[in-house]
Amino acid sequence: MPKFFIKTYGCQMNERDSEQVAHSLATRGYERVAREAEADVVLLNTCSVRDMADQKALGKMGMLGRIAKERPHVVFGFLGCMAQARGESLLQNLPHVDLVVGTQKFHRVADYVEEVVARKNARAQLPVALPNRAMDDSRFSIVDIAEESGSQETIREQSLAPRQASAFVSIMQGCNMHCTFCIVPQTRGAERSRSIDEIVREGRDLVARGVKELTLLGQIVNLYGRHEFPKRDGKSPFVQLLEAVHEIDGVKRLRFTSPHPIGFRDDLIDTIARLPKLAEHVHLPLQSGSNKILKAMHRAYTAEKYVDLVRRVRQARDGIAITTDIIVGFPGETANDYKQTRDLVEEIQFDNAFIFRYSPRGDTPAAEMPEQVEERVKEERNQDLLRVVNESARRAGERLVGRDVEVLCEGPSKTNPARLMGRTGTNKIVVFEGDEKLAGEIVDVRVARANGFSLYGTPVLPTSRAASNDRA
């Protein structure tokens, strides 16, 4: 049985795309392995949001050249956003690369792999003395970064691990927002949405296979369907989709990521309040607390509107967790601009935040802006803001000590396989002792302590839960 290895860089959408590729290879008899040295096909699904992600993937592929020399039959390929952005240029300094496949062609990867394998096998069977010019067309390389109509409907299947608790469902591709720091509109194309019926069908299939939690994925997920589908009864297409997935029998939790503040209308906030399966967590990218910088980023909201949105979301759902993304060191960000961001983060008290130092990306307006911030200053602001966020995250965790929380068990903890781990509805990691048979199940856990971003506790047995309720 031929074997394949796939490594994913970047976001959850990339992870979902990789699972589609993995499924298509598995259905053709390929076995997935955890080490590239064991594989006959090695694929890197790449990210272009930050330069560091590009460099990691390029460095990794460069190191794989050693395997290519030792095992010339192995197929090597770049997939995803960096492949889309760089195309054929990726072949120039990496002669062992066979595939460069863009973001609208994941469903064609298995076909291309088999084509390269056939051509390599044919070449290997040629007599050594014969010139093989006819077989040496472009080193067997295949480059496909063309647009393809209907590609949003092709990310619809995935393999599941035993007792897998949660799964991603891709509901749309592309982005029309054109934030000045972001390359995604160039690498993912314009917004394109799947139909509600198709998404529900995929959700039902996943639940029938044991999944309890579905996470709807889109580049700007709450703008789903705005060009394809009408509003109904004052509800946006995204709210209609949430309601439809919420009705799937067997779904215990429903999540979505990542939204944009401008897509939070009254109908969505009302939905957060009234759909009980919708997890009590919203990831709401802020990016900056300075209105000057938000305008330069082309974010289309102000810091004041963001704060008001957070207030309304928290009013809609008691105990809801709010996390965010923030960029420090954007071109033109002064000490005062950064202070405004820091003050806003202190005011909101996020449950967690991902802090990024601004990284210039080619073909984006921000890369050409004047007043680029020094790397030293970016790092200082990054570390300072991390301290603020870590402190608010610590407080959020400590508030749960002594309380019972509902945890969807994902299986053994990666850091301590002797224990189990799972996530609360507020997306907090909980580590606890228990039988591995609890994987995929929802468990009540009493939190004993909080440590950084993780909680530690003990499962609550039905008898002790009843006793606790009696005392209450």
Side-chain angles (χ1 to χ4, degrees):
M1 181 180 290
K3 298 176 173 61
F4 74 95
F5 168 87
I6 185 165
K7 182 175 179 61
T8 306
Y9 298 86
C11 67
Q12 292 164 316
M13 292 190 69
N14 285 16
E15 292 179 25
R16 179 63 188 91
D17 294 337
S18 290
E19 288 307 312
Q20 177 67 39
V21 172
H23 179 271
S24 63
L25 287 169
T27 58
R28 300 190 186 206
Y30 286 76
E31 177 188 356
R32 191 169 189 170
V33 294
R35 296 175 62 247
E36 57 266 30
E38 302 172 6
D40 304 293
V41 178
V42 178
L43 304 171
L44 304 184
N45 191 9
T46 60
C47 171
S48 275
V49 171
R50 304 179 73 214
D51 183 62
M52 184 181 296
D54 272 19
Q55 296 309 315
K56 283 184 178 179
L58 290 168
K60 179 71 170 178
M61 188 62 81
M63 290 189 292
L64 293 172
R66 174 182 54 80
I67 295 177
K69 291 179 181 178
E70 297 170 355
R71 305 171 65 209
H73 75 281
V74 176
V75 175
F76 296 90
F78 281 120
L79 315 178
C81 290
M82 187 180 74
Q84 185 73 38
R86 299 198 180 198
E88 194 168 352
S89 67
L90 289 169
L91 303 174
Q92 293 174 2
N93 298 316
L94 297 163
H96 58 287
V97 173
D98 303 293
L99 299 176
V100 178
V101 182
T103 56
Q104 299 188 30
K105 300 299 178 98
F106 290 107
H107 59 295
R108 300 197 180 276
V109 171
D111 289 335
Y112 292 151
V113 164
E114 295 204 332
E115 183 177 342
V116 172
V117 168
R119 292 163 73 186
K120 285 197 171 191
N121 288 341
R123 179 175 181 178
Q125 293 168 13
L126 283 176
V128 175
L130 288 178
N132 53 9
R133 293 192 194 97
M135 299 300 302
D136 195 24
D137 48 332
S138 300
R139 304 181 322 248
F140 306 131
S141 60
I142 295 175
V143 178
D144 188 355
I145 59 173
E147 292 184 4
E148 181 165 337
S149 177
S151 63
Q152 71 274 17
E153 296 285 358
T154 63
I155 309 300
R156 60 178 185 267
E157 297 168 321
Q158 57 186 301
S159 301
L160 298 178
R163 305 182 70 84
Q164 183 170 324
S166 60
F168 296 131
V169 177
S170 177
I171 69 169
M172 61 189 296
Q173 291 181 348
C175 179
N176 291 1
M177 296 304 296
H178 297 282
C179 299
T180 57
F181 55 81
C182 186
I183 199 173
V184 166
Q186 290 94 306
T187 61
R188 290 274 180 178
E191 290 175 13
R192 303 158 336 265
S193 298
R194 299 173 66 189
S195 70
I196 290 178
D197 288 345
E198 273 296 301
I199 295 165
V200 169
R201 181 204 60 77
E202 182 180 345
R204 284 181 178 146
D205 176 67
L206 290 167
V207 170
R209 294 159 66 190
V211 169
K212 302 289 196 304
E213 176 183 275
L214 300 176
T215 300
L216 307 184
L217 290 181
Q219 205 66 51
I220 299 186
V221 71
N222 54 338
L223 297 184
Y224 162 85
R226 60 176 175 159
H227 302 298
E228 295 94 341
F229 312 122
K231 283 189 173 183
R232 298 187 188 280
D233 301 323
K235 298 174 183 176
S236 69
F238 183 60
V239 167
Q240 296 171 45
L241 174 63
L242 288 175
E243 292 178 338
V245 177
H246 189 274
E247 291 302 308
I248 296 175
D249 288 339
V251 169
K252 301 298 183 184
R253 272 193 202 153
L254 176 59
R255 300 185 187 273
F256 59 87
T257 197
S258 282
H260 191 293
I262 69 164
F264 271 83
R265 307 299 186 191
D266 290 342
D267 62 333
L268 179 53
I269 295 174
D270 174 67
T271 301
I272 291 171
R274 64 186 174 81
L275 294 187
K277 295 179 185 178
L278 199 57
E280 54 266 42
H281 168 235
V282 172
H283 186 73
L284 190 61
L286 167 64
Q287 307 304 3
S288 177
S290 160
N291 288 337
K292 183 192 83 175
I293 297 300
L294 287 172
K295 184 176 181 180
M297 289 177 167
H298 195 220
R299 290 294 290 175
Y301 54 85
T302 63
E304 292 77 16
K305 287 183 178 179
Y306 184 94
V307 170
D308 182 63
L309 174 58
V310 169
R311 178 189 59 79
R312 291 190 292 138
V313 169
R314 283 176 168 164
Q315 285 180 343
R317 191 80 172 268
D318 185 44
I320 196 166
I322 297 182
T323 58
T324 197
D325 297 329
I326 300 170
I327 296 172
V328 297
F330 188 81
E333 184 186 70
T334 64
N336 185 55
D337 292 319
Y338 170 68
K339 183 178 184 302
Q340 291 176 49
T341 298
R342 192 184 195 281
D343 290 346
L344 190 146
V345 171
E346 285 271 26
E347 176 185 351
I348 290 178
Q349 291 291 296
F350 292 105
D351 287 65
N352 198 358
F354 298 98
I355 314 298
F356 302 96
R357 289 168 293 177
Y358 170 71
S359 175
R361 305 306 293 135
D363 300 321
T364 62
E368 305 300 323
M369 288 180 178
E371 300 180 81
Q372 297 285 328
V373 178
E374 294 180 14
E375 290 299 325
R376 173 186 58 80
V377 175
K378 293 180 190 177
E379 178 63 17
E380 289 174 356
R381 292 174 183 173
N382 184 75
Q383 294 303 318
D384 179 60
L385 199 57
L386 275 174
R387 286 189 287 271
V388 176
V389 168
N390 289 346
E391 185 60 22
S392 65
R394 181 190 63 77
R395 285 192 288 266
E398 289 185 345
R399 284 194 292 269
L400 295 174
V401 173
R403 295 176 55 184
D404 294 351
V405 294
E406 191 177 80
V407 177
L408 179 58
C409 181
E410 298 179 13
S413 167
K414 293 179 181 178
T415 56
N416 183 357
R419 294 184 175 183
L420 301 175
M421 67 79 61
R423 292 178 187 271
T424 66
T426 55
N427 207 37
K428 291 177 174 58
I429 294 173
V430 182
V431 179
F432 58 98
E433 293 183 359
D435 193 299
E436 285 192 24
K437 292 180 181 179
L438 291 175
E441 301 298 328
I442 291 179
V443 184
D444 286 339
V445 176
R446 184 159 300 156
V447 179
R449 62 187 178 91
N451 181 15
F453 298 106
S454 298
L455 306 174
Y456 298 84
T458 305
V460 180
L461 299 178
T463 52
S464 63
R465 188 189 306 121
S468 176
N469 290 340
D470 290 341
R471 286 193 298 271

